[in-house]
Amino acid sequence: MLTNRQIKLINSLHSKKGRIDNQLFLVEGEKAVLELIHSNIQIEFVVTSDEFATQYLSEFKHTELYIEDESLLHKLSTLVSNSFGFAVVSMQQFNFQLTYKNDITVVLDGIRDPGNLGTIIRICDWYGIKQIALSKDCTDFFNPKVIAASMGSFSRIQFEYINLEELFKANNNVPVYGALLNGEDIHAIQFPESCFLLFGNESNGIRQENIEFINQKVTIPRYGSAESLNVGISTAIFLDNLRRN
């Protein structure tokens, strides 16, 4: 069973400060934890119910395991419904130094919604995009809602929080394609093998200081009456067109 100190630690991981102070984060739910166990990610320990501990005995044989009743699992989880439990995972193996000159990089400018970021991570994984650059005010990659929305894809994506102006200046030979309303039709674009794909904040779009670095403004043509597209959907449409080239 968990000690009071461990319970306090788990509760602290619900906040960004607690995650940073302890260099740990939570991965919650059956599918995500089982996928994690079969990866190379360092797991500190898993907390689950007696039912699932018995069901997945062989998967847990090399993992430090704590068995608790479902009522405590629900209290410690950030998910609305979580009868399976969660893993406490080290952040230290996620310290990446990205290189940008020979790859496709999704660049996010001020994405604040954790669900959107998690969805974008999952979409990048689906389309084989290996890295994401985030402005320093983007939501925390290790936010439990981001991890849950990524559906396990967080473990296969490298990322870096960086000043976008410095990023673009240091890599000025890499073209920047920006998602804007006043750009060229995406269906007419031939994306290169190496570029930045820049997406803006859910409400305000790409900041003016970052628009100045865009080499090609790109728009997704509207055929109906919807006012806008979710940034996750926009990312998927961009990557789908990129992979069609």
Side-chain angles (χ1 to χ4, degrees), residues 101-122:
K101 297 186 187 302
N102 298 302
D103 216 334
I104 302 292
T105 305
V106 167
V107 182
L108 303 179
D109 182 6
I111 300 302
R112 304 299 301 164
D113 184 270
N116 282 340
L117 178 53
T119 298
I120 291 169
I121 292 167
R122 188 179 179 188

mmCIF file of all heavy atoms in Angstrom, residues 101-122:
data_model
loop_
_atom_site.group_PDB
_atom_site.id
_atom_site.type_symbol
_atom_site.label_atom_id
_atom_site.label_comp_id
_atom_site.label_asym_id
_atom_site.label_seq_id
_atom_site.Cartn_x
_atom_site.Cartn_y
_atom_site.Cartn_z
ATOM 1 N N LYS A 101 17.367 21.323 -39.105
ATOM 2 C CA LYS A 101 17.724 21.611 -40.491
ATOM 3 C C LYS A 101 17.303 20.523 -41.480
ATOM 4 O O LYS A 101 17.170 20.788 -42.662
ATOM 5 C CB LYS A 101 19.235 21.866 -40.597
ATOM 6 C CG LYS A 101 19.688 23.085 -39.797
ATOM 7 C CD LYS A 101 21.136 23.400 -40.029
ATOM 8 C CE LYS A 101 21.633 24.506 -39.104
ATOM 9 N NZ LYS A 101 20.883 25.748 -39.249
ATOM 10 N N ASN A 102 17.098 19.304 -41.032
ATOM 11 C CA ASN A 102 16.805 18.211 -41.954
ATOM 12 C C ASN A 102 15.557 17.445 -41.559
ATOM 13 O O ASN A 102 15.501 16.222 -41.681
ATOM 14 C CB ASN A 102 18.008 17.254 -42.021
ATOM 15 C CG ASN A 102 19.247 17.939 -42.551
ATOM 16 O OD1 ASN A 102 19.255 18.465 -43.659
ATOM 17 N ND2 ASN A 102 20.304 17.937 -41.748
ATOM 18 N N ASP A 103 14.545 18.176 -41.088
ATOM 19 C CA ASP A 103 13.352 17.489 -40.604
ATOM 20 C C ASP A 103 12.135 18.397 -40.735
ATOM 21 O O ASP A 103 12.256 19.606 -40.946
ATOM 22 C CB ASP A 103 13.535 17.085 -39.141
ATOM 23 C CG ASP A 103 12.882 15.747 -38.816
ATOM 24 O OD1 ASP A 103 11.914 15.384 -39.516
ATOM 25 O OD2 ASP A 103 13.332 15.072 -37.876
ATOM 26 N N ILE A 104 10.964 17.795 -40.602
ATOM 27 C CA ILE A 104 9.713 18.540 -40.487
ATOM 28 C C ILE A 104 9.469 18.796 -39.007
ATOM 29 O O ILE A 104 9.496 17.865 -38.200
ATOM 30 C CB ILE A 104 8.533 17.747 -41.069
ATOM 31 C CG1 ILE A 104 8.774 17.395 -42.541
ATOM 32 C CG2 ILE A 104 7.232 18.520 -40.889
ATOM 33 C CD1 ILE A 104 8.770 18.568 -43.471
ATOM 34 N N THR A 105 9.238 20.048 -38.652
ATOM 35 C CA THR A 105 8.982 20.392 -37.254
ATOM 36 C C THR A 105 7.664 21.141 -37.145
ATOM 37 O O THR A 105 7.458 22.154 -37.833
ATOM 38 C CB THR A 105 10.102 21.287 -36.685
ATOM 39 O OG1 THR A 105 11.371 20.635 -36.864
ATOM 40 C CG2 THR A 105 9.870 21.550 -35.197
ATOM 41 N N VAL A 106 6.758 20.654 -36.330
ATOM 42 C CA VAL A 106 5.547 21.394 -35.992
ATOM 43 C C VAL A 106 5.914 22.407 -34.905
ATOM 44 O O VAL A 106 6.515 22.058 -33.895
ATOM 45 C CB VAL A 106 4.432 20.446 -35.514
ATOM 46 C CG1 VAL A 106 3.289 21.218 -34.854
ATOM 47 C CG2 VAL A 106 3.902 19.631 -36.685
ATOM 48 N N VAL A 107 5.554 23.669 -35.141
ATOM 49 C CA VAL A 107 5.886 24.754 -34.212
ATOM 50 C C VAL A 107 4.577 25.343 -33.681
ATOM 51 O O VAL A 107 3.695 25.713 -34.461
ATOM 52 C CB VAL A 107 6.721 25.848 -34.901
ATOM 53 C CG1 VAL A 107 7.107 26.940 -33.896
ATOM 54 C CG2 VAL A 107 7.971 25.250 -35.549
ATOM 55 N N LEU A 108 4.460 25.434 -32.374
ATOM 56 C CA LEU A 108 3.226 25.885 -31.737
ATOM 57 C C LEU A 108 3.459 27.208 -31.021
ATOM 58 O O LEU A 108 4.345 27.322 -30.167
ATOM 59 C CB LEU A 108 2.727 24.827 -30.756
ATOM 60 C CG LEU A 108 2.492 23.437 -31.367
ATOM 61 C CD1 LEU A 108 2.024 22.463 -30.290
ATOM 62 C CD2 LEU A 108 1.481 23.497 -32.508
ATOM 63 N N ASP A 109 2.644 28.188 -31.368
ATOM 64 C CA ASP A 109 2.769 29.543 -30.838
ATOM 65 C C ASP A 109 1.630 29.819 -29.863
ATOM 66 O O ASP A 109 0.515 30.141 -30.260
ATOM 67 C CB ASP A 109 2.736 30.543 -32.007
ATOM 68 C CG ASP A 109 2.916 31.991 -31.560
ATOM 69 O OD1 ASP A 109 3.177 32.228 -30.368
ATOM 70 O OD2 ASP A 109 2.800 32.880 -32.422
ATOM 71 N N GLY A 110 1.902 29.632 -28.577
ATOM 72 C CA GLY A 110 0.939 30.000 -27.538
ATOM 73 C C GLY A 110 -0.262 29.079 -27.414
ATOM 74 O O GLY A 110 -1.346 29.531 -27.033
ATOM 75 N N ILE A 111 -0.094 27.789 -27.683
ATOM 76 C CA ILE A 111 -1.211 26.834 -27.522
ATOM 77 C C ILE A 111 -1.447 26.615 -26.032
ATOM 78 O O ILE A 111 -0.578 26.136 -25.317
ATOM 79 C CB ILE A 111 -0.901 25.499 -28.221
ATOM 80 C CG1 ILE A 111 -0.666 25.715 -29.717
ATOM 81 C CG2 ILE A 111 -2.032 24.494 -27.990
ATOM 82 C CD1 ILE A 111 -1.811 26.368 -30.450
ATOM 83 N N ARG A 112 -2.634 26.953 -25.571
ATOM 84 C CA ARG A 112 -2.908 26.946 -24.135
ATOM 85 C C ARG A 112 -3.786 25.778 -23.684
ATOM 86 O O ARG A 112 -3.780 25.419 -22.518
ATOM 87 C CB ARG A 112 -3.595 28.267 -23.726
ATOM 88 C CG ARG A 112 -2.817 29.510 -24.105
ATOM 89 C CD ARG A 112 -1.453 29.558 -23.444
ATOM 90 N NE ARG A 112 -1.556 29.540 -21.996
ATOM 91 C CZ ARG A 112 -0.541 29.259 -21.172
ATOM 92 N NH1 ARG A 112 0.631 28.936 -21.658
ATOM 93 N NH2 ARG A 112 -0.716 29.281 -19.873
ATOM 94 N N ASP A 113 -4.561 25.215 -24.580
ATOM 95 C CA ASP A 113 -5.492 24.163 -24.175
ATOM 96 C C ASP A 113 -4.787 22.813 -24.124
ATOM 97 O O ASP A 113 -4.247 22.365 -25.146
ATOM 98 C CB ASP A 113 -6.659 24.107 -25.166
ATOM 99 C CG ASP A 113 -7.711 23.095 -24.741
ATOM 100 O OD1 ASP A 113 -7.593 21.914 -25.145
ATOM 101 O OD2 ASP A 113 -8.634 23.469 -24.007
ATOM 102 N N PRO A 114 -4.777 22.142 -22.976
ATOM 103 C CA PRO A 114 -4.081 20.853 -22.864
ATOM 104 C C PRO A 114 -4.630 19.793 -23.814
ATOM 105 O O PRO A 114 -3.865 18.991 -24.356
ATOM 106 C CB PRO A 114 -4.302 20.445 -21.403
ATOM 107 C CG PRO A 114 -4.629 21.705 -20.686
ATOM 108 C CD PRO A 114 -5.343 22.568 -21.681
ATOM 109 N N GLY A 115 -5.944 19.782 -24.021
ATOM 110 C CA GLY A 115 -6.528 18.819 -24.936
ATOM 111 C C GLY A 115 -6.032 19.019 -26.355
ATOM 112 O O GLY A 115 -5.768 18.054 -27.085
ATOM 113 N N ASN A 116 -5.893 20.287 -26.765
ATOM 114 C CA ASN A 116 -5.379 20.574 -28.105
ATOM 115 C C ASN A 116 -3.941 20.099 -28.251
ATOM 116 O O ASN A 116 -3.574 19.487 -29.266
ATOM 117 C CB ASN A 116 -5.451 22.073 -28.400
ATOM 118 C CG ASN A 116 -6.847 22.528 -28.761
ATOM 119 O OD1 ASN A 116 -7.701 21.736 -29.143
ATOM 120 N ND2 ASN A 116 -7.099 23.819 -28.636
ATOM 121 N N LEU A 117 -3.107 20.380 -27.253
ATOM 122 C CA LEU A 117 -1.709 19.958 -27.340
ATOM 123 C C LEU A 117 -1.608 18.433 -27.385
ATOM 124 O O LEU A 117 -0.856 17.875 -28.202
ATOM 125 C CB LEU A 117 -0.897 20.512 -26.168
ATOM 126 C CG LEU A 117 0.582 20.086 -26.139
ATOM 127 C CD1 LEU A 117 1.279 20.394 -27.462
ATOM 128 C CD2 LEU A 117 1.314 20.747 -24.972
ATOM 129 N N GLY A 118 -2.353 17.751 -26.541
ATOM 130 C CA GLY A 118 -2.319 16.288 -26.554
ATOM 131 C C GLY A 118 -2.761 15.720 -27.894
ATOM 132 O O GLY A 118 -2.168 14.756 -28.401
ATOM 133 N N THR A 119 -3.800 16.326 -28.481
ATOM 134 C CA THR A 119 -4.282 15.881 -29.787
ATOM 135 C C THR A 119 -3.228 16.110 -30.861
ATOM 136 O O THR A 119 -3.008 15.251 -31.728
ATOM 137 C CB THR A 119 -5.581 16.628 -30.153
ATOM 138 O OG1 THR A 119 -6.588 16.322 -29.183
ATOM 139 C CG2 THR A 119 -6.079 16.227 -31.526
ATOM 140 N N ILE A 120 -2.557 17.257 -30.824
ATOM 141 C CA ILE A 120 -1.505 17.560 -31.804
ATOM 142 C C ILE A 120 -0.360 16.561 -31.675
ATOM 143 O O ILE A 120 0.193 16.097 -32.681
ATOM 144 C CB ILE A 120 -1.015 19.007 -31.630
ATOM 145 C CG1 ILE A 120 -2.114 19.988 -32.067
ATOM 146 C CG2 ILE A 120 0.262 19.255 -32.436
ATOM 147 C CD1 ILE A 120 -1.839 21.430 -31.702
ATOM 148 N N ILE A 121 0.009 16.207 -30.464
ATOM 149 C CA ILE A 121 1.061 15.200 -30.249
ATOM 150 C C ILE A 121 0.658 13.878 -30.893
ATOM 151 O O ILE A 121 1.448 13.228 -31.588
ATOM 152 C CB ILE A 121 1.323 15.011 -28.741
ATOM 153 C CG1 ILE A 121 1.958 16.281 -28.155
ATOM 154 C CG2 ILE A 121 2.222 13.796 -28.490
ATOM 155 C CD1 ILE A 121 1.957 16.318 -26.633
ATOM 156 N N ARG A 122 -0.580 13.486 -30.686
ATOM 157 C CA ARG A 122 -1.088 12.227 -31.257
ATOM 158 C C ARG A 122 -1.109 12.280 -32.782
ATOM 159 O O ARG A 122 -0.744 11.317 -33.467
ATOM 160 C CB ARG A 122 -2.487 11.963 -30.704
ATOM 161 C CG ARG A 122 -3.064 10.610 -31.060
ATOM 162 C CD ARG A 122 -4.442 10.482 -30.424
ATOM 163 N NE ARG A 122 -5.066 9.214 -30.737
ATOM 164 C CZ ARG A 122 -6.325 8.915 -30.425
ATOM 165 N NH1 ARG A 122 -7.066 9.800 -29.781
ATOM 166 N NH2 ARG A 122 -6.841 7.743 -30.742
#
